[in-house]
Structure formats: C-alpha cells, structure tokens
Amino acid sequence: EIAAQWPLSSVGIPDLGPLEVEVLVGHPCLLGMYVDRIIARRDTSRCSDARIRREVQKALGMYSELAPEVAAVIEAL
C-alpha cells in the first residue's frame, strides 16, 4: 500500500495496480528521475500510462538497443 502511494520510490515493485503519477508528470525533474528509474529497472508496467510511455520513448530516442526489453514493450503498446 505504501509503495503504491510513492510511485517514484516504488519502481521495480510488481503488482501495484494503477498508480497516481500526476505530481511526477507535472514536474520535469521528477518525471526525468522516474523515467530513468523505469528504464534502469526495466519496469515496463509503468508504461501503461500514455504520458509515461511517451517520456520513456523520448528518453530512449535513437538508442533503444541500450534497453531492448523496454523498447520492445513500448513499440508493442
């Protein structure tokens, strides 16, 4: 329950269900940290939110081979 309330700190914890990410999306620095953590932990469950998915895709840019598992999920969504 606590992990679900703190999405920035809970990246990598499975089965949290829908997360409230409005604060993260509204703050460029927090959003960047969140995206970096998603990529590093390969937590593709966080990409179900279109805004987060778009930011992950932008972060990967032309270098999707650095995180092929994440890039594959992004492309499939």
Side-chain angles (χ1 to χ4, degrees):
E1 184 177 317
I2 292 173
Q5 295 174 6
W6 296 93
L8 181 61
S9 299
S10 65
V11 175
I13 298 175
D15 305 322
L16 294 179
L19 299 171
E20 181 57 49
V21 295
E22 289 301 320
V23 172
L24 300 174
V25 171
H27 193 285
C29 184
L30 292 176
L31 181 57
M33 288 175 55
Y34 189 56
V35 167
D36 288 346
R37 289 178 182 193
I38 290 168
I39 294 169
R41 300 286 303 190
R42 295 174 176 82
D43 188 353
T44 55
S45 68
R46 307 297 175 115
C47 297
S48 60
D49 184 297
R51 299 166 299 178
I52 302 301
R53 183 172 54 250
R54 185 173 41 253
E55 292 301 315
V56 169
Q57 190 170 30
K58 282 182 4 183
L60 291 175
M62 297 182 345
Y63 303 102
S64 60
E65 69 275 1
L66 297 175
E69 303 93 346
V70 176
V73 170
I74 296 290
E75 289 177 22
L77 296 173

